[in-house]
Amino acid sequence: MTIVQFYRWGPVIAGLLLLFLIGLALQYATTSGVISPFVVPPPADILQSIPKLFIKEGLIGYFFVTVGITLSATLISIVIGLPIGWVLFRSPDFGKAYESWLGAIFSAPIILLYPLFLVVLGRGVTTIIVMSVVVGITPIILSTYTGLKGVPPVYLRVARSFNMASRDIFWKVYAPAAIPAIFTGVRLALIYVMINAVAMEFLISIGGLGYLVGDLYDRYNLPEMYAAVIFVVVASIIFFTIIDRTEKWLRRR
Amino acid sequence: MKISRLAAAAALAAATVLSGSAWAADTVRVANAQKGFWDQTIIMFGDEAGIFDKHDIDLEILWTDGGADAQQAVISGSMDVAFGTGMLGVISAWAKGAPVEIISASMTGSSDLYWYVKSDSDIQSMADTSGKTVSFSRPGSSTNLVSAKLVAAAGTDAELVPTGGPAATMTQVMSGQIDVGWSAVPIGLDREVSGDIRIIASGNDAPGVAQQTVRVQIANRNFLEKNEDAVKRFTEAYQEVLDWAYSGDEALQKWAEMNNLTLEDARSARDRGYPKEALQLYPLQGMDANVQEAVDNGRLDEPLSEEQIAEMTATAKKLHGDM
């Protein structure tokens, strides 16, 4: 392995090695009785149960339902949140007036309002998506607003000295400078949307992986339940990889 | 003189030690699945009335969010006994080797469950539910099984819809999202009195359900092995609680206050939803049907043999055989 290869793959290998060691420790703890296997099944049992999840439980369907809900809710949050963040930035009075409100909403446990959403929207995937958008939109608005506010004035002065049109200033100065902050918001939104979506699926017994985890728990199929949780993590990793690559692609442009 | 003082001190010390050991009650930690339901709440009233103290049992009750959580608390050993956990979940856990033993029945039949419609609905009985929606709490629950049996017995093509707990279901029925809602006595009975809803079926209307033990009490196997006598006294105390709760109005009064009911409404609700025979601790009934439902429901890969069922119910038989 060359030095370049080591620096590229070293962190990945280190991460996988740590995961393997944790799995090994858990295997020992659960098989030696330190941790009851009826509370946390041995990792080997969890891995063995994965084919059963695909064949018997229809995991793929549940996986794509959760991925679909998360993707839809995040995209809707972006589409609505970015313009609102821009409006708050362009109208400083609105920005000052609502920034603290948005902060309060961001930290509020909105999931507790799920009975209200059920009554208004009915018991279905729409309810989960709408609730997830409510949760996901706030970090995007806030990060867009703070990202645009944080653009150094010197950039703008230089742009104006070149007589750039407002549209060009937006696309060539504001947007590139605010992208890191906006993507921080998108990442946060994704986390909140995914947690909310899976929790709602669990609570109202509709949808994808959250529903599957709850159902397996009720049936006391613990290895399968933990395996299903692994696929929630897998879905999360896929989303983060996509966001990471999108951000890099946009920054290169 | 010195000798007599020494003897007196020794006698006092011995008396203190002996009396201390005689008075030391055994602590039993109980995970209870549903506060407010008669069959699961009278244990608390009985404890307040001092019945467990009489049997040298110091009771600690933890209210959980449903039977699955209560069962998991017992499996993990953080609680000793679980009250009112679903039979199918217990069968599944026991068959998979979890350290749990059934110590007694908790509820036989489903007279506590009922299905209702808005009073202005054109549905008069389950036979009128073709093309309609019929609710249950969550997939795999007892309400799921009973509602499926009710619809099958009625021979309609009603769609079964999970709606969550009684409160959320009531909201969905009243807002017209669901045609037939479910609830458990006493929740929602005030709406029947006020004429907002009309009850169209009881859980016991489903074929075979009245003779099926649907909820049980379980103990952690390790706790049971180390505290067999305490578990026996616990069970005897609970039998006394049952007799006390049905022989007078003290428990009923407490239950009425807990559920904001008048004493007479509480009595009517109790007699309708929880007749004393439904709360009998033994025998465990309809075990073959329970095992078959566990298989149909994906909780078991294959049915248990007669020997396995006998082994699973052996502790309850041993505890109640001579009671």
Side-chain angles (χ1 to χ4, degrees), chain B residues 212-243:
Chain B
Q212 202 172 342
T213 299
V214 294
R215 290 196 289 272
V216 287
Q217 291 148 19
I218 57 173
N220 178 283
R221 190 176 294 140
N222 300 326
F223 175 79
L224 187 64
E225 283 168 5
K226 289 176 188 160
N227 302 278
E228 203 174 331
D229 180 57
V231 174
K232 188 160 179 59
R233 277 185 282 122
F234 169 82
T235 314
E236 286 166 357
Y238 185 64
Q239 180 63 59
E240 195 176 324
V241 169
L242 276 177
D243 295 335

PDB file of all heavy atoms in Angstrom, chain B residues 212-243:
ATOM      1  N   GLN B 212     -60.798 -18.137  25.606  1.00  0.00           N
ATOM      2  CA  GLN B 212     -59.364 -18.075  25.304  1.00  0.00           C
ATOM      3  C   GLN B 212     -58.667 -17.102  26.260  1.00  0.00           C
ATOM      4  O   GLN B 212     -59.084 -15.946  26.383  1.00  0.00           O
ATOM      5  CB  GLN B 212     -59.205 -17.574  23.863  1.00  0.00           C
ATOM      6  CG  GLN B 212     -57.894 -17.922  23.222  1.00  0.00           C
ATOM      7  CD  GLN B 212     -57.903 -17.558  21.740  1.00  0.00           C
ATOM      8  OE1 GLN B 212     -58.960 -17.368  21.128  1.00  0.00           O
ATOM      9  NE2 GLN B 212     -56.732 -17.455  21.173  1.00  0.00           N
ATOM     10  N   THR B 213     -57.635 -17.581  26.940  1.00  0.00           N
ATOM     11  CA  THR B 213     -56.865 -16.681  27.820  1.00  0.00           C
ATOM     12  C   THR B 213     -56.000 -15.792  26.944  1.00  0.00           C
ATOM     13  O   THR B 213     -55.146 -16.286  26.203  1.00  0.00           O
ATOM     14  CB  THR B 213     -55.993 -17.489  28.793  1.00  0.00           C
ATOM     15  OG1 THR B 213     -56.854 -18.286  29.608  1.00  0.00           O
ATOM     16  CG2 THR B 213     -55.164 -16.579  29.670  1.00  0.00           C
ATOM     17  N   VAL B 214     -56.250 -14.482  27.016  1.00  0.00           N
ATOM     18  CA  VAL B 214     -55.564 -13.559  26.099  1.00  0.00           C
ATOM     19  C   VAL B 214     -54.440 -12.775  26.768  1.00  0.00           C
ATOM     20  O   VAL B 214     -53.540 -12.287  26.098  1.00  0.00           O
ATOM     21  CB  VAL B 214     -56.559 -12.581  25.445  1.00  0.00           C
ATOM     22  CG1 VAL B 214     -57.517 -13.310  24.532  1.00  0.00           C
ATOM     23  CG2 VAL B 214     -57.328 -11.787  26.496  1.00  0.00           C
ATOM     24  N   ARG B 215     -54.521 -12.624  28.091  1.00  0.00           N
ATOM     25  CA  ARG B 215     -53.443 -11.938  28.797  1.00  0.00           C
ATOM     26  C   ARG B 215     -53.031 -12.784  30.003  1.00  0.00           C
ATOM     27  O   ARG B 215     -53.873 -13.461  30.606  1.00  0.00           O
ATOM     28  CB  ARG B 215     -53.880 -10.542  29.271  1.00  0.00           C
ATOM     29  CG  ARG B 215     -54.077  -9.563  28.144  1.00  0.00           C
ATOM     30  CD  ARG B 215     -54.122  -8.117  28.652  1.00  0.00           C
ATOM     31  NE  ARG B 215     -55.323  -7.798  29.381  1.00  0.00           N
ATOM     32  CZ  ARG B 215     -56.441  -7.352  28.816  1.00  0.00           C
ATOM     33  NH1 ARG B 215     -56.498  -7.188  27.513  1.00  0.00           N
ATOM     34  NH2 ARG B 215     -57.498  -7.064  29.548  1.00  0.00           N
ATOM     35  N   VAL B 216     -51.757 -12.736  30.320  1.00  0.00           N
ATOM     36  CA  VAL B 216     -51.247 -13.555  31.432  1.00  0.00           C
ATOM     37  C   VAL B 216     -50.304 -12.741  32.308  1.00  0.00           C
ATOM     38  O   VAL B 216     -49.891 -11.634  31.953  1.00  0.00           O
ATOM     39  CB  VAL B 216     -50.482 -14.799  30.907  1.00  0.00           C
ATOM     40  CG1 VAL B 216     -51.430 -15.822  30.332  1.00  0.00           C
ATOM     41  CG2 VAL B 216     -49.424 -14.424  29.903  1.00  0.00           C
ATOM     42  N   GLN B 217     -49.979 -13.346  33.455  1.00  0.00           N
ATOM     43  CA  GLN B 217     -48.951 -12.774  34.322  1.00  0.00           C
ATOM     44  C   GLN B 217     -47.732 -13.677  34.224  1.00  0.00           C
ATOM     45  O   GLN B 217     -47.866 -14.907  34.276  1.00  0.00           O
ATOM     46  CB  GLN B 217     -49.465 -12.707  35.757  1.00  0.00           C
ATOM     47  CG  GLN B 217     -50.573 -11.678  35.913  1.00  0.00           C
ATOM     48  CD  GLN B 217     -51.593 -12.013  36.948  1.00  0.00           C
ATOM     49  OE1 GLN B 217     -51.349 -12.823  37.823  1.00  0.00           O
ATOM     50  NE2 GLN B 217     -52.758 -11.412  36.847  1.00  0.00           N
ATOM     51  N   ILE B 218     -46.595 -13.058  34.057  1.00  0.00           N
ATOM     52  CA  ILE B 218     -45.368 -13.844  33.910  1.00  0.00           C
ATOM     53  C   ILE B 218     -44.335 -13.421  34.946  1.00  0.00           C
ATOM     54  O   ILE B 218     -44.413 -12.321  35.495  1.00  0.00           O
ATOM     55  CB  ILE B 218     -44.754 -13.683  32.494  1.00  0.00           C
ATOM     56  CG1 ILE B 218     -44.462 -12.197  32.190  1.00  0.00           C
ATOM     57  CG2 ILE B 218     -45.661 -14.283  31.441  1.00  0.00           C
ATOM     58  CD1 ILE B 218     -43.702 -11.969  30.895  1.00  0.00           C
ATOM     59  N   ALA B 219     -43.417 -14.331  35.222  1.00  0.00           N
ATOM     60  CA  ALA B 219     -42.320 -14.016  36.152  1.00  0.00           C
ATOM     61  C   ALA B 219     -40.996 -14.329  35.474  1.00  0.00           C
ATOM     62  O   ALA B 219     -40.922 -15.222  34.620  1.00  0.00           O
ATOM     63  CB  ALA B 219     -42.463 -14.825  37.428  1.00  0.00           C
ATOM     64  N   ASN B 220     -39.977 -13.615  35.885  1.00  0.00           N
ATOM     65  CA  ASN B 220     -38.628 -13.927  35.419  1.00  0.00           C
ATOM     66  C   ASN B 220     -38.221 -15.271  36.015  1.00  0.00           C
ATOM     67  O   ASN B 220     -38.409 -15.508  37.213  1.00  0.00           O
ATOM     68  CB  ASN B 220     -37.674 -12.811  35.868  1.00  0.00           C
ATOM     69  CG  ASN B 220     -36.247 -13.089  35.453  1.00  0.00           C
ATOM     70  OD1 ASN B 220     -35.570 -13.905  36.072  1.00  0.00           O
ATOM     71  ND2 ASN B 220     -35.795 -12.403  34.426  1.00  0.00           N
ATOM     72  N   ARG B 221     -37.701 -16.166  35.169  1.00  0.00           N
ATOM     73  CA  ARG B 221     -37.406 -17.538  35.615  1.00  0.00           C
ATOM     74  C   ARG B 221     -36.376 -17.562  36.761  1.00  0.00           C
ATOM     75  O   ARG B 221     -36.539 -18.309  37.726  1.00  0.00           O
ATOM     76  CB  ARG B 221     -36.896 -18.358  34.439  1.00  0.00           C
ATOM     77  CG  ARG B 221     -36.784 -19.846  34.743  1.00  0.00           C
ATOM     78  CD  ARG B 221     -36.362 -20.611  33.502  1.00  0.00           C
ATOM     79  NE  ARG B 221     -37.379 -20.570  32.478  1.00  0.00           N
ATOM     80  CZ  ARG B 221     -37.134 -20.426  31.177  1.00  0.00           C
ATOM     81  NH1 ARG B 221     -35.891 -20.289  30.747  1.00  0.00           N
ATOM     82  NH2 ARG B 221     -38.109 -20.411  30.305  1.00  0.00           N
ATOM     83  N   ASN B 222     -35.366 -16.725  36.657  1.00  0.00           N
ATOM     84  CA  ASN B 222     -34.339 -16.708  37.714  1.00  0.00           C
ATOM     85  C   ASN B 222     -34.943 -16.245  39.036  1.00  0.00           C
ATOM     86  O   ASN B 222     -34.648 -16.793  40.096  1.00  0.00           O
ATOM     87  CB  ASN B 222     -33.178 -15.783  37.328  1.00  0.00           C
ATOM     88  CG  ASN B 222     -32.517 -16.245  36.055  1.00  0.00           C
ATOM     89  OD1 ASN B 222     -32.445 -17.446  35.796  1.00  0.00           O
ATOM     90  ND2 ASN B 222     -32.068 -15.300  35.244  1.00  0.00           N
ATOM     91  N   PHE B 223     -35.779 -15.220  38.955  1.00  0.00           N
ATOM     92  CA  PHE B 223     -36.437 -14.720  40.166  1.00  0.00           C
ATOM     93  C   PHE B 223     -37.328 -15.811  40.763  1.00  0.00           C
ATOM     94  O   PHE B 223     -37.344 -16.030  41.972  1.00  0.00           O
ATOM     95  CB  PHE B 223     -37.267 -13.485  39.827  1.00  0.00           C
ATOM     96  CG  PHE B 223     -38.077 -12.966  40.983  1.00  0.00           C
ATOM     97  CD1 PHE B 223     -37.485 -12.196  41.977  1.00  0.00           C
ATOM     98  CD2 PHE B 223     -39.428 -13.276  41.099  1.00  0.00           C
ATOM     99  CE1 PHE B 223     -38.228 -11.729  43.057  1.00  0.00           C
ATOM    100  CE2 PHE B 223     -40.170 -12.816  42.175  1.00  0.00           C
ATOM    101  CZ  PHE B 223     -39.562 -12.040  43.155  1.00  0.00           C
ATOM    102  N   LEU B 224     -38.037 -16.505  39.881  1.00  0.00           N
ATOM    103  CA  LEU B 224     -38.961 -17.556  40.320  1.00  0.00           C
ATOM    104  C   LEU B 224     -38.213 -18.680  41.036  1.00  0.00           C
ATOM    105  O   LEU B 224     -38.651 -19.161  42.101  1.00  0.00           O
ATOM    106  CB  LEU B 224     -39.698 -18.095  39.096  1.00  0.00           C
ATOM    107  CG  LEU B 224     -40.825 -19.083  39.329  1.00  0.00           C
ATOM    108  CD1 LEU B 224     -41.957 -18.436  40.095  1.00  0.00           C
ATOM    109  CD2 LEU B 224     -41.352 -19.596  37.995  1.00  0.00           C
ATOM    110  N   GLU B 225     -37.073 -19.078  40.462  1.00  0.00           N
ATOM    111  CA  GLU B 225     -36.307 -20.180  41.063  1.00  0.00           C
ATOM    112  C   GLU B 225     -35.774 -19.808  42.453  1.00  0.00           C
ATOM    113  O   GLU B 225     -35.750 -20.630  43.355  1.00  0.00           O
ATOM    114  CB  GLU B 225     -35.144 -20.564  40.138  1.00  0.00           C
ATOM    115  CG  GLU B 225     -35.620 -21.396  38.946  1.00  0.00           C
ATOM    116  CD  GLU B 225     -34.566 -21.544  37.857  1.00  0.00           C
ATOM    117  OE1 GLU B 225     -33.420 -21.071  38.059  1.00  0.00           O
ATOM    118  OE2 GLU B 225     -34.890 -22.116  36.814  1.00  0.00           O
ATOM    119  N   LYS B 226     -35.373 -18.543  42.582  1.00  0.00           N
ATOM    120  CA  LYS B 226     -34.792 -18.111  43.860  1.00  0.00           C
ATOM    121  C   LYS B 226     -35.854 -17.698  44.873  1.00  0.00           C
ATOM    122  O   LYS B 226     -35.569 -17.591  46.058  1.00  0.00           O
ATOM    123  CB  LYS B 226     -33.835 -16.933  43.626  1.00  0.00           C
ATOM    124  CG  LYS B 226     -32.556 -17.325  42.913  1.00  0.00           C
ATOM    125  CD  LYS B 226     -31.716 -16.098  42.636  1.00  0.00           C
ATOM    126  CE  LYS B 226     -30.543 -16.474  41.745  1.00  0.00           C
ATOM    127  NZ  LYS B 226     -29.969 -15.316  41.075  1.00  0.00           N
ATOM    128  N   ASN B 227     -37.066 -17.387  44.397  1.00  0.00           N
ATOM    129  CA  ASN B 227     -38.092 -16.833  45.303  1.00  0.00           C
ATOM    130  C   ASN B 227     -39.437 -17.538  45.117  1.00  0.00           C
ATOM    131  O   ASN B 227     -40.474 -16.903  45.043  1.00  0.00           O
ATOM    132  CB  ASN B 227     -38.265 -15.339  45.026  1.00  0.00           C
ATOM    133  CG  ASN B 227     -36.987 -14.571  45.186  1.00  0.00           C
ATOM    134  OD1 ASN B 227     -36.592 -14.204  46.292  1.00  0.00           O
ATOM    135  ND2 ASN B 227     -36.317 -14.325  44.076  1.00  0.00           N
ATOM    136  N   GLU B 228     -39.382 -18.860  45.046  1.00  0.00           N
ATOM    137  CA  GLU B 228     -40.599 -19.610  44.764  1.00  0.00           C
ATOM    138  C   GLU B 228     -41.692 -19.336  45.798  1.00  0.00           C
ATOM    139  O   GLU B 228     -42.866 -19.147  45.459  1.00  0.00           O
ATOM    140  CB  GLU B 228     -40.266 -21.098  44.721  1.00  0.00           C
ATOM    141  CG  GLU B 228     -41.277 -21.885  43.913  1.00  0.00           C
ATOM    142  CD  GLU B 228     -40.877 -23.347  43.753  1.00  0.00           C
ATOM    143  OE1 GLU B 228     -39.663 -23.625  43.758  1.00  0.00           O
ATOM    144  OE2 GLU B 228     -41.781 -24.181  43.659  1.00  0.00           O
ATOM    145  N   ASP B 229     -41.270 -19.275  47.055  1.00  0.00           N
ATOM    146  CA  ASP B 229     -42.247 -19.046  48.119  1.00  0.00           C
ATOM    147  C   ASP B 229     -42.859 -17.647  48.007  1.00  0.00           C
ATOM    148  O   ASP B 229     -44.067 -17.470  48.189  1.00  0.00           O
ATOM    149  CB  ASP B 229     -41.569 -19.233  49.481  1.00  0.00           C
ATOM    150  CG  ASP B 229     -42.544 -19.009  50.612  1.00  0.00           C
ATOM    151  OD1 ASP B 229     -43.573 -19.715  50.640  1.00  0.00           O
ATOM    152  OD2 ASP B 229     -42.311 -18.115  51.452  1.00  0.00           O
ATOM    153  N   ALA B 230     -42.015 -16.666  47.686  1.00  0.00           N
ATOM    154  CA  ALA B 230     -42.518 -15.287  47.552  1.00  0.00           C
ATOM    155  C   ALA B 230     -43.512 -15.197  46.403  1.00  0.00           C
ATOM    156  O   ALA B 230     -44.547 -14.524  46.514  1.00  0.00           O
ATOM    157  CB  ALA B 230     -41.355 -14.329  47.319  1.00  0.00           C
ATOM    158  N   VAL B 231     -43.227 -15.892  45.297  1.00  0.00           N
ATOM    159  CA  VAL B 231     -44.141 -15.861  44.148  1.00  0.00           C
ATOM    160  C   VAL B 231     -45.467 -16.520  44.520  1.00  0.00           C
ATOM    161  O   VAL B 231     -46.540 -16.049  44.152  1.00  0.00           O
ATOM    162  CB  VAL B 231     -43.509 -16.545  42.914  1.00  0.00           C
ATOM    163  CG1 VAL B 231     -44.516 -16.651  41.776  1.00  0.00           C
ATOM    164  CG2 VAL B 231     -42.286 -15.762  42.445  1.00  0.00           C
ATOM    165  N   LYS B 232     -45.388 -17.605  45.289  1.00  0.00           N
ATOM    166  CA  LYS B 232     -46.613 -18.289  45.718  1.00  0.00           C
ATOM    167  C   LYS B 232     -47.451 -17.356  46.603  1.00  0.00           C
ATOM    168  O   LYS B 232     -48.662 -17.236  46.421  1.00  0.00           O
ATOM    169  CB  LYS B 232     -46.255 -19.574  46.472  1.00  0.00           C
ATOM    170  CG  LYS B 232     -47.459 -20.435  46.772  1.00  0.00           C
ATOM    171  CD  LYS B 232     -47.056 -21.867  47.056  1.00  0.00           C
ATOM    172  CE  LYS B 232     -48.268 -22.743  47.375  1.00  0.00           C
ATOM    173  NZ  LYS B 232     -49.245 -22.784  46.294  1.00  0.00           N
ATOM    174  N   ARG B 233     -46.757 -16.668  47.542  1.00  0.00           N
ATOM    175  CA  ARG B 233     -47.487 -15.733  48.413  1.00  0.00           C
ATOM    176  C   ARG B 233     -48.052 -14.565  47.604  1.00  0.00           C
ATOM    177  O   ARG B 233     -49.147 -14.080  47.866  1.00  0.00           O
ATOM    178  CB  ARG B 233     -46.554 -15.217  49.517  1.00  0.00           C
ATOM    179  CG  ARG B 233     -46.467 -16.188  50.692  1.00  0.00           C
ATOM    180  CD  ARG B 233     -45.654 -15.615  51.823  1.00  0.00           C
ATOM    181  NE  ARG B 233     -44.235 -15.708  51.551  1.00  0.00           N
ATOM    182  CZ  ARG B 233     -43.393 -14.686  51.513  1.00  0.00           C
ATOM    183  NH1 ARG B 233     -43.831 -13.467  51.722  1.00  0.00           N
ATOM    184  NH2 ARG B 233     -42.116 -14.870  51.259  1.00  0.00           N
ATOM    185  N   PHE B 234     -47.278 -14.132  46.609  1.00  0.00           N
ATOM    186  CA  PHE B 234     -47.733 -13.048  45.731  1.00  0.00           C
ATOM    187  C   PHE B 234     -49.029 -13.457  45.023  1.00  0.00           C
ATOM    188  O   PHE B 234     -50.000 -12.697  44.963  1.00  0.00           O
ATOM    189  CB  PHE B 234     -46.640 -12.730  44.706  1.00  0.00           C
ATOM    190  CG  PHE B 234     -47.074 -11.813  43.595  1.00  0.00           C
ATOM    191  CD1 PHE B 234     -47.093 -10.444  43.771  1.00  0.00           C
ATOM    192  CD2 PHE B 234     -47.490 -12.326  42.368  1.00  0.00           C
ATOM    193  CE1 PHE B 234     -47.510  -9.597  42.749  1.00  0.00           C
ATOM    194  CE2 PHE B 234     -47.910 -11.499  41.353  1.00  0.00           C
ATOM    195  CZ  PHE B 234     -47.918 -10.125  41.533  1.00  0.00           C
ATOM    196  N   THR B 235     -49.039 -14.683  44.505  1.00  0.00           N
ATOM    197  CA  THR B 235     -50.209 -15.178  43.781  1.00  0.00           C
ATOM    198  C   THR B 235     -51.409 -15.324  44.714  1.00  0.00           C
ATOM    199  O   THR B 235     -52.542 -14.977  44.347  1.00  0.00           O
ATOM    200  CB  THR B 235     -49.869 -16.532  43.120  1.00  0.00           C
ATOM    201  OG1 THR B 235     -48.613 -16.418  42.482  1.00  0.00           O
ATOM    202  CG2 THR B 235     -50.898 -16.934  42.100  1.00  0.00           C
ATOM    203  N   GLU B 236     -51.135 -15.833  45.918  1.00  0.00           N
ATOM    204  CA  GLU B 236     -52.234 -15.966  46.904  1.00  0.00           C
ATOM    205  C   GLU B 236     -52.787 -14.592  47.270  1.00  0.00           C
ATOM    206  O   GLU B 236     -54.007 -14.412  47.406  1.00  0.00           O
ATOM    207  CB  GLU B 236     -51.717 -16.681  48.162  1.00  0.00           C
ATOM    208  CG  GLU B 236     -51.501 -18.176  47.939  1.00  0.00           C
ATOM    209  CD  GLU B 236     -50.670 -18.826  49.050  1.00  0.00           C
ATOM    210  OE1 GLU B 236     -50.211 -18.120  49.978  1.00  0.00           O
ATOM    211  OE2 GLU B 236     -50.471 -20.045  48.958  1.00  0.00           O
ATOM    212  N   ALA B 237     -51.866 -13.636  47.418  1.00  0.00           N
ATOM    213  CA  ALA B 237     -52.302 -12.276  47.762  1.00  0.00           C
ATOM    214  C   ALA B 237     -53.156 -11.701  46.635  1.00  0.00           C
ATOM    215  O   ALA B 237     -54.187 -11.061  46.885  1.00  0.00           O
ATOM    216  CB  ALA B 237     -51.085 -11.388  48.009  1.00  0.00           C
ATOM    217  N   TYR B 238     -52.745 -11.972  45.397  1.00  0.00           N
ATOM    218  CA  TYR B 238     -53.507 -11.416  44.282  1.00  0.00           C
ATOM    219  C   TYR B 238     -54.890 -12.070  44.188  1.00  0.00           C
ATOM    220  O   TYR B 238     -55.879 -11.395  43.868  1.00  0.00           O
ATOM    221  CB  TYR B 238     -52.751 -11.567  42.956  1.00  0.00           C
ATOM    222  CG  TYR B 238     -53.505 -10.880  41.838  1.00  0.00           C
ATOM    223  CD1 TYR B 238     -53.705  -9.501  41.863  1.00  0.00           C
ATOM    224  CD2 TYR B 238     -54.064 -11.605  40.787  1.00  0.00           C
ATOM    225  CE1 TYR B 238     -54.441  -8.867  40.886  1.00  0.00           C
ATOM    226  CE2 TYR B 238     -54.803 -10.978  39.801  1.00  0.00           C
ATOM    227  CZ  TYR B 238     -54.983  -9.604  39.851  1.00  0.00           C
ATOM    228  OH  TYR B 238     -55.725  -8.968  38.887  1.00  0.00           O
ATOM    229  N   GLN B 239     -54.969 -13.354  44.506  1.00  0.00           N
ATOM    230  CA  GLN B 239     -56.283 -14.017  44.533  1.00  0.00           C
ATOM    231  C   GLN B 239     -57.178 -13.340  45.578  1.00  0.00           C
ATOM    232  O   GLN B 239     -58.377 -13.118  45.345  1.00  0.00           O
ATOM    233  CB  GLN B 239     -56.119 -15.510  44.842  1.00  0.00           C
ATOM    234  CG  GLN B 239     -57.434 -16.282  44.888  1.00  0.00           C
ATOM    235  CD  GLN B 239     -58.180 -16.285  43.556  1.00  0.00           C
ATOM    236  OE1 GLN B 239     -57.645 -16.737  42.547  1.00  0.00           O
ATOM    237  NE2 GLN B 239     -59.401 -15.763  43.544  1.00  0.00           N
ATOM    238  N   GLU B 240     -56.551 -12.977  46.701  1.00  0.00           N
ATOM    239  CA  GLU B 240     -57.320 -12.287  47.762  1.00  0.00           C
ATOM    240  C   GLU B 240     -57.774 -10.906  47.269  1.00  0.00           C
ATOM    241  O   GLU B 240     -58.880 -10.473  47.584  1.00  0.00           O
ATOM    242  CB  GLU B 240     -56.445 -12.170  49.017  1.00  0.00           C
ATOM    243  CG  GLU B 240     -57.241 -11.805  50.251  1.00  0.00           C
ATOM    244  CD  GLU B 240     -56.374 -11.781  51.510  1.00  0.00           C
ATOM    245  OE1 GLU B 240     -55.444 -12.614  51.632  1.00  0.00           O
ATOM    246  OE2 GLU B 240     -56.638 -10.909  52.366  1.00  0.00           O
ATOM    247  N   VAL B 241     -56.895 -10.242  46.506  1.00  0.00           N
ATOM    248  CA  VAL B 241     -57.247  -8.933  45.946  1.00  0.00           C
ATOM    249  C   VAL B 241     -58.476  -9.075  45.036  1.00  0.00           C
ATOM    250  O   VAL B 241     -59.409  -8.272  45.102  1.00  0.00           O
ATOM    251  CB  VAL B 241     -56.058  -8.328  45.146  1.00  0.00           C
ATOM    252  CG1 VAL B 241     -56.512  -7.108  44.336  1.00  0.00           C
ATOM    253  CG2 VAL B 241     -54.926  -7.939  46.077  1.00  0.00           C
ATOM    254  N   LEU B 242     -58.460 -10.113  44.202  1.00  0.00           N
ATOM    255  CA  LEU B 242     -59.588 -10.346  43.298  1.00  0.00           C
ATOM    256  C   LEU B 242     -60.893 -10.535  44.083  1.00  0.00           C
ATOM    257  O   LEU B 242     -61.919  -9.927  43.768  1.00  0.00           O
ATOM    258  CB  LEU B 242     -59.331 -11.598  42.453  1.00  0.00           C
ATOM    259  CG  LEU B 242     -58.497 -11.448  41.181  1.00  0.00           C
ATOM    260  CD1 LEU B 242     -58.292 -12.810  40.525  1.00  0.00           C
ATOM    261  CD2 LEU B 242     -59.185 -10.508  40.210  1.00  0.00           C
ATOM    262  N   ASP B 243     -60.835 -11.388  45.108  1.00  0.00           N
ATOM    263  CA  ASP B 243     -62.043 -11.652  45.909  1.00  0.00           C
ATOM    264  C   ASP B 243     -62.533 -10.380  46.582  1.00  0.00           C
ATOM    265  O   ASP B 243     -63.724 -10.085  46.611  1.00  0.00           O
ATOM    266  CB  ASP B 243     -61.740 -12.741  46.961  1.00  0.00           C
ATOM    267  CG  ASP B 243     -61.413 -14.074  46.304  1.00  0.00           C
ATOM    268  OD1 ASP B 243     -61.858 -14.294  45.156  1.00  0.00           O
ATOM    269  OD2 ASP B 243     -60.694 -14.894  46.922  1.00  0.00           O
TER     270      ASP B 243
END
